[in-house]
């Protein structure tokens, strides 16, 4: 036996003696079945746990079925007269009372006061800008009063989700363009602005009663 073989044998003996916990074996490893690790036993669970799990599965299955049916049945582009509006009000009327009664608390009062000033500030700001653009034809008082009336009517009669009540930047740009158009055509601004609003309301009304907004 050479010197290198003796050194290797001594090193292997020292390693085996230093780690008594480790054991070396040339036997093939025992196969581990998948079901022993991935499939826990349910025998320890009581009947209430099985019922709870079954109800959760049934609820999730029902919710998935409802979502799938709602996705499959899209509303048509056009419907019969007032059918879409009637459907919206039919869904909202049972909740109309709770929409008012649930708001009679201090938290909703704080939110109402916040929204009041959140709607008042843009009305005052845009009102001054409208007064400059329209040469005083539409000012702060007109903007505040129109925002208040539109918000009141919308909140009492609308069956749709929350939308923007009041003026915005694009509306200001449109009014400024309409003022220049009235000056070029030699027409009074306020009648032109009123007829523009009437035609817009008529188009929106025709779209809503025929469900063309779908």
């Amino acid at each position: 036996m050479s010197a290198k073989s003796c050194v290797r044998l001594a090193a292997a003996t020292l390693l085996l003696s230093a780690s008594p916990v480790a054991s070396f074996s040339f036997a093939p490893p025992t196969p581990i079945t998948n079901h022993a690790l991935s499939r826990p036993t349910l025998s320890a669970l009581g009947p209430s746990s099985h019922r709870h799990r079954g109800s959760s599965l049934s609820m999730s299955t029902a919710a998935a079925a409802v979502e799938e049916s709602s996705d499959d049945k899209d509303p048509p582009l056009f419907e019969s007269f007032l059918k879409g509006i009637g459907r919206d009000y039919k869904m909202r009327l049972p909740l109309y009372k709770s929409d008012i009664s649930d708001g009679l608390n201090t938290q909703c009062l704080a939110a109402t006061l916040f929204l009041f000033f959140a709607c008042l500030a843009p009305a005052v700001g845009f009102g001054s800008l409208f007064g400059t653009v329209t040469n005083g034809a539409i000012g702060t008082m007109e903007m505040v009063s129109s925002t208040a009336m539109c918000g009141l009517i919308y909140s009492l009669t609308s069956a749709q989700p929350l939308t923007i009540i009041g003026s915005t930047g694009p509306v200001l740009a449109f009014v400024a363009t309409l003022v220049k158009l009235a000056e070029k055509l030699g027409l009074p601004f306020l009648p032109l602005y009123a007829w523009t609003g009437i035609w817009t309301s008529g188009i929106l009304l025709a779209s809503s009663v025929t469900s063309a907004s779908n």
Side-chain angles (χ1 to χ4, degrees), residues 133-178:
V133 170
T134 61
N135 299 321
I138 300 176
T140 303
M141 294 303 298
E142 290 82 6
M143 185 59 61
V144 171
S145 59
S146 62
T147 303
M149 287 189 293
C150 291
L152 181 62
I153 295 173
Y154 181 85
S155 61
L156 292 177
T157 60
S158 177
Q160 295 292 329
L162 181 65
T163 187
I164 299 175
I165 302 296
S167 182
T168 56
V171 177
L172 178 62
F174 174 76
V175 171
T177 305
L178 199 63

Side-chain angles (χ1 to χ4, degrees), residues 32-43:
I32 300 176
T33 55
N34 294 330
H35 66 274
L37 297 177
S38 62
R39 297 176 61 183
T41 58
L42 299 177
S43 58

